[in-house]
Structures are given as C-alpha cells and as structure tokens.
Amino acid sequence: NFSLDKLANIDIHDLMNREPIELYDEHVAETLKGKTMLVTGAAGSIGSEIVRKLSEHDASLIICVDFSESALYDLQQELKRKHPGIDYRFILTDVRNEQLLENIFEEYHPHFIYHAAAYKHVPLMEEFPWEAVQTNVFGTLNLVRLAVRYKAERFVFISSDKAVNPTSVMGATKRLGEIIVQAYSSSVTSTCFVVTRFGNVLGSNGSVVPLFKKQIANGGPVTVTHPDMIRYFMTIAEACQLVLEASVMAEGGEIFVFDMGEPVKIVDLARNMIRLAGYTPDVDIKIQFIGERPGEKLYEDLFSEKEKLKETHNDKIMISNENIQSLAEAEKIINRLRTLDGFHEPDLYRVMIKELLPEYRSVTGDKKVVNFVSGNRITQYNFQN
C-alpha cells in the first residue's frame, strides 16, 4: 500500500509519541511588537522558522543574516510573497566577519538578536574542528560583543543538548559558546543574554526524518547507527516557540530547555516511519545498523549534574541557573583557542578542547577520524605555544 503521498504526508507528531507543546502567550507578541530583530542563520531550519514567527508579531524590521546564497534567496522570495507589508533586510555575510557584522549593527541597532547560525553536523565537525571553532565560538563571540557595544536589549543563543557532557567537537564548541554568552551576562547589565538548548529537531536540515524518507522512497535499507541509540525530539515549531518565549521571559544568564517527554529510540522512529509509509519494517524495508559515527553518544543529557533547575510558569519549560563562569574565564578560553589559528589537525583541537572543558571526552565511534593535515604540525604548535 505504499505511495509517495503517504511518505510526504507523514505527521512528525506521530513519530514523537506525545502531544505537541503549545506555548503561545499574548505577552510574547506584545513584547516583540515594533522591535528591530536580527536573526543569524536566518535561512536555516530554525532561523527561517524564527523569521516566520517574528513576521506574525508585527516587528518593525527583521534583518535576516546568512552566508548561504541560495537558501537566503529562497527565504527572501517566500517572505516577500507571504508578508509584503513587513520590512526585511536580507544580508549575505558570515558571522565570522566582525567588521561586516558591525556595519549591520551600526546601521540598524537591533533590539533583539536571535543567534541561530552554527555548524551542527557532528561527524563533519570531527573532521574539520577548526570550522566549528571559528563559527560556533568566535562567530558567537563577535555577536555577543556587538550586542554589548550597541546596547541590544536581548540576545538569544541557540545551543544544543549535545553541549552537555560533550563527546563531539560540535557539542563542545556549543558549550564554549554557552560559557561566553553567560560570562558576558554576568558582567553586563545593558543586554539580557539567554541560552536555549534543543534536543534533535525533527524535519530540520540534515535530521533523520528527511534521510529516512529518502531511504524509504528508494526501497531501503534504512540506516541506523546503533540499536540502543536514543534522542530527545522536538519539532521546528516547538523549538521556535521556546526561542521566542525565552527571549521575553529571560532575566539574564539562564539556560532554557523544553520538557520533551521520554527520549525516543532512533530504530523505533525508523520503524514508525516505515509503517506510516505503508510498509512492514524488516520485511518490505530492511533496517541496517551501520555503527556509531565519530562524536556520537548513545544518549543525550539535557542538564549537567552541576546545574540547578528552577520551575517556571509553564511546566513544559525548565530553567538552569548554573554557576556562571566569569568574563576572565571566557577571555582565557578565547585566548587559548586563538593560538590554534593556522593549525588544521583535528587531534590538536581535541586536546585543546579537553584542556578548556574537562567534561569533554572524545568519541571516535566505529570509524577512524582521519587527520586533514598530517606531519609535524602538532610538535610545531607545542614548540610555539
């Protein structure tokens, strides 16, 4: 009974075994009304949905920053068609470029900043950790400093549950970004800084749902890394509700996390998708276990053991008020990472991250992580630094 229509119309909520989370509050719309918004990573899965939601809240100006030309163009065409009355700016640039970012802040003085730009694919960042550091750490630092300099009202950093007890470079760089954001929060009163932590976002670019759909449409097999791997899941819409709610609720320095219910086994997700497409798992469509990938762990944590939880007005939102590191500690992290400029050895980055984040432990999965540049560069680094 398989049809492509069935596959296309799979309801993501059917894959999570829980009711959708609804958070909409009038005070969110009222607070955002008439503000100038800056969204980085605006053409990505999360960023574009944030822009769509802001478009419904009567923002006076929405600045959409992304470095993906085609994706930004597609977003521009969609929003001009759907919201002709909203004032947008579509700016093609990279969050690594502090000077170009400063030009944006100088011209528009955004009130709210939603920082969604990031490298997020775990195995790729294991191979190219210098890219993760430059974007996820230094790109975040650029925006944080500009938010302070231009006295933005609020700054929302979009992080990941992979930042908790990280086993991947991607998760570790997200955690370092959290530390920087919270350190500035502890020393600055003009801007309210807040972190939002997501589980896996179903349907986002690079997530398992689009991958499984393609594999099912091709007749299988559906590839799963490990039979016991579990993840917390939320939808793009839920993730954006959390971001907007956090941007209004925050008092400064908190980490906001959704109660996403029980984690879901990836293999169960695969079986459900196969059934919803009209097939029988392991009969019509095979499930193939391919081994853990570099940086992956079997389960994710939402909070570390050191973090203290605080209740909110909504039982679906949890807040962590952890021990925030000082600005001096953040500067130490930044200065140590700067010494890696010009070096392209993954192992060197992992050693440095371990020095900065004792809770980080590298996991290579079932595949060898290959150095991009070989030779004596690590020895050279040790000699220079």
Side-chain angles (χ1 to χ4, degrees):
N1 297 319
F2 169 74
S3 73
L4 284 175
D5 287 341
K6 280 186 178 181
L7 190 57
N9 293 324
I10 288 176
D11 187 342
I12 284 176
H13 293 103
D14 291 337
L15 303 175
M16 293 194 299
N17 300 318
R18 63 169 172 80
E19 290 297 314
I21 299 173
E22 297 290 343
L23 278 184
Y24 183 80
D25 288 317
E26 288 293 334
H27 73 280
V28 174
E30 284 300 315
T31 304
L32 300 178
K33 189 174 182 179
K35 301 290 187 181
T36 297
M37 308 294 183
L38 171 64
V39 182
T40 71
S45 304
I46 300 297
S48 61
E49 187 67 15
I50 291 172
V51 173
R52 292 183 191 101
K53 293 298 182 187
L54 292 174
S55 301
E56 298 169 2
H57 290 321
D58 297 325
S60 64
L61 174 64
I62 304 175
I63 306 157
C64 305
V65 171
D66 207 291
F67 81 135
S68 174
E69 176 201 20
S70 297
L72 191 62
Y73 172 81
D74 290 342
L75 181 68
Q76 181 184 47
Q77 298 308 303
E78 174 198 331
L79 294 174
K80 282 185 173 181
R81 184 179 70 254
K82 288 184 177 178
H83 301 283
I86 299 288
D87 194 7
Y88 297 102
R89 297 291 185 277
F90 297 92
I91 299 176
L92 185 67
T93 193
D94 195 324
V95 294
R96 301 178 181 195
N97 193 322
E98 187 175 9
Q99 183 57 59
L100 289 179
L101 288 178
E102 179 153 23
N103 293 345
I104 296 169
F105 276 77
E106 177 66 36
E107 183 169 357
Y108 298 111
H109 287 80
H111 299 109
F112 280 49
I113 298 149
Y114 297 92
H115 178 35
Y119 279 131
K120 65 176 187 176
H121 292 290
V122 168
L124 274 176
M125 293 306 99
E126 291 300 304
E127 286 191 76
F128 307 104
W130 49 93
E131 297 293 336
V133 166
Q134 288 297 322
T135 295
N136 296 357
V137 180
F138 292 132
T140 299
L141 176 67
N142 290 340
L143 285 155
V144 165
R145 285 177 170 172
L146 288 167
V148 173
R149 193 177 308 158
Y150 287 88
K151 294 181 169 57
E153 291 179 22
R154 293 183 176 256
F155 183 104
V156 183
F157 176 56
I158 294 169
S159 189
S160 165
D161 59 0
K162 291 176 175 59
V164 182
N165 301 319
T167 58
S168 65
V169 169
M170 190 285 276
T173 55
K174 278 297 198 178
R175 177 59 192 143
L176 292 171
E178 288 183 358
I179 290 171
I180 289 169
V181 171
Q182 290 189 302
Y184 272 84
S185 177
S186 69
S187 62
V188 173
T189 57
S190 58
T191 302
C192 177
F193 289 95
V194 60
V195 174
T196 59
R197 234 181 237 161
F198 294 161
N200 286 34
V201 180
L202 281 175
S204 63
N205 295 332
S207 70
V208 292
V209 170
L211 172 64
F212 287 173
K213 279 187 177 182
K214 286 180 184 176
Q215 292 176 333
I216 293 168
N218 291 331
V222 173
T223 57
V224 177
T225 55
H226 192 283
D228 295 325
M229 185 165 286
I230 59 174
R231 290 290 183 269
Y232 290 97
F233 284 106
M234 64 196 311
T235 66
I236 293 174
E238 289 175 336
C240 292
Q241 287 183 72
L242 176 63
V243 170
L244 297 187
E245 188 79 19
S247 70
V248 172
M249 281 178 57
E251 297 176 1
E254 306 100 322
I255 296 177
F256 283 70
V257 182
F258 260 153
D259 177 1
M260 291 174 283
E262 293 299 316
V264 177
K265 272 192 173 186
I266 302 296
V267 68
D268 291 343
L269 185 76
R271 290 192 178 110
N272 286 340
M273 285 191 67
I274 292 169
R275 290 190 190 98
L276 289 168
Y279 281 127
T280 302
D282 301 315
V283 177
D284 302 317
I285 298 282
K286 298 294 184 185
I287 294 176
Q288 180 182 349
F289 295 105
I290 59 174
E292 295 164 75
R293 300 179 301 173
E296 281 191 329
K297 50 185 173 180
L298 291 181
Y299 61 91
E300 303 287 359
D301 301 305
L302 296 177
F303 296 103
S304 73
E305 294 177 357
K306 299 177 183 176
E307 293 177 308
K308 298 175 183 177
L309 305 187
K310 186 175 81 172
E311 293 182 353
T312 71
H313 71 282
N314 191 307
D315 61 3
K316 292 296 182 183
I317 300 178
M318 299 176 285
I319 290 179
S320 159
N321 275 328
E322 68 169 331
N323 296 324
I324 297 174
Q325 297 196 39
S326 67
L327 197 54
E329 284 296 315
E331 292 294 337
K332 176 187 171 185
I333 288 170
I334 293 159
N335 292 335
R336 290 294 289 144
L337 288 174
R338 292 278 191 211
T339 66
L340 293 175
D341 285 352
F343 290 87
H344 300 94
E345 284 72 30
D347 287 341
L348 180 55
Y349 279 79
R350 282 186 272 275
V351 169
M352 174 67 77
I353 289 169
K354 180 66 177 175
E355 175 190 319
L356 299 173
L357 281 180
E359 67 267 32
Y360 165 71
R361 56 185 181 86
S362 178
V363 172
T364 59
D366 290 348
K367 296 179 175 63
K368 188 178 187 301
V369 180
V370 180
N371 278 351
F372 186 64
V373 180
S374 59
N376 299 319
R377 296 273 286 165
I378 292 179
T379 303
Q380 183 185 340
Y381 171 84
N382 289 334
F383 177 76
Q384 290 180 353
N385 297 283

